[in-house]
Amino acid sequence: MSSEEETSQTTSSSSSPPPSSSSSSSSPPPASHFIGKKEDIVKAGRVTKLLNGCRDVLVLYHQGQLYAMDMRCYHSGGALQYGDIEEFNGHLCIVCPWHKYKITLAEGEGLYQAVDDPLAKPLRTHWRSKGVKQRIHKVTEVNGDVYVTLNDSSEAIESDVYQTERYRTVFLKAQPKPKPKN
């Protein structure tokens, strides 16, 4: 899939505070990138874009909210645009299709299921945060147009490793090419 193709939305429940905002202003925020018309993004459910020639971003619409994050999962680079959206402990998450890592849509936190006492029967588990692992970007809507402002925090976030030229040239090009069907 190219960085500008669109995929369809999956379903789930509950919602977290949106990292998006609406504006009646006629101009987009400074340093923002036009993603598309809101109606087109709502219809598609998910859109991926390469911004600044160096950052692949997933913009998705779910339960009335727009979210944006790095497109590749922080764990192993899985394509998040194919992940399901599910609720875990009151947090909407995208589930990486490769290894089922759970990432909150609003904060980019990695969630895991912890066990209090591994010797106790039955096991009692609960969801815990690993901290922010996925870079989240700000979404703004201006007069029906959707813009993303890249998160320019200098703090390293694990998903950053998949936003490098080295990853694009070495790892992506080394993947096996699909064989043509006869």
Side-chain angles (χ1 to χ4, degrees):
M1 175 179 230
S2 77
S3 63
E4 301 220 6
E5 286 181 356
E6 302 170 350
T7 59
S8 62
Q9 175 181 354
T10 59
T11 61
S12 183
S13 61
S14 190
S15 67
S16 298
S20 62
S21 61
S22 290
S23 173
S24 58
S25 166
S26 60
S27 60
S32 65
H33 302 271
F34 176 73
I35 301 300
K37 293 286 190 188
K38 181 178 181 184
E39 64 190 55
D40 295 335
I41 296 169
V42 168
K43 185 177 178 180
R46 301 173 186 198
V47 175
T48 60
K49 288 269 189 165
L50 179 63
L51 303 181
N52 281 354
C54 64
R55 188 157 294 269
D56 290 305
V57 173
L58 168 65
V59 177
L60 60 94
Y61 178 83
H62 186 76
Q63 294 183 342
Q65 301 299 325
L66 290 161
Y67 302 90
M69 64 178 54
D70 284 354
M71 184 182 83
R72 299 218 166 259
C73 177
Y74 72 89
H75 171 244
S76 287
L80 292 177
Q81 71 264 35
Y82 301 116
D84 292 332
I85 297 176
E86 300 178 29
E87 180 194 334
F88 296 95
N89 202 36
H91 297 279
L92 276 178
C93 296
I94 191 156
V95 180
C96 180
W98 286 8
H99 301 109
K100 308 304 178 204
Y101 275 55
K102 285 98 174 120
I103 303 163
T104 63
L105 294 178
E107 298 88 13
E109 290 180 288
L111 298 183
Y112 71 100
Q113 211 166 12
V115 175
D116 287 329
D117 179 358
L119 302 177
K121 300 293 181 211
L123 287 177
R124 292 178 39 124
T125 63
H126 56 276
W127 291 99
R128 286 205 175 143
S129 173
K130 300 177 192 178
V132 174
K133 302 291 185 178
Q134 195 77 19
R135 192 171 293 272
I136 299 296
H137 308 285
K138 182 178 179 177
V139 179
T140 306
E141 179 188 351
V142 178
N143 299 325
D145 291 336
V146 175
Y147 297 87
V148 166
T149 304
L150 293 175
N151 175 337
D152 62 358
S153 168
S154 61
E155 181 180 333
I157 297 175
E158 289 184 40
S159 65
D160 292 344
V161 73
Y162 300 103
Q163 300 295 334
T164 63
E165 189 59 33
R166 180 175 184 267
Y167 176 76
R168 282 183 186 66
T169 57
V170 176
F171 296 108
L172 287 180
K173 291 182 179 161
Q175 291 183 349
K177 305 284 187 262
K179 294 181 181 177
K181 296 186 182 204
N182 296 343

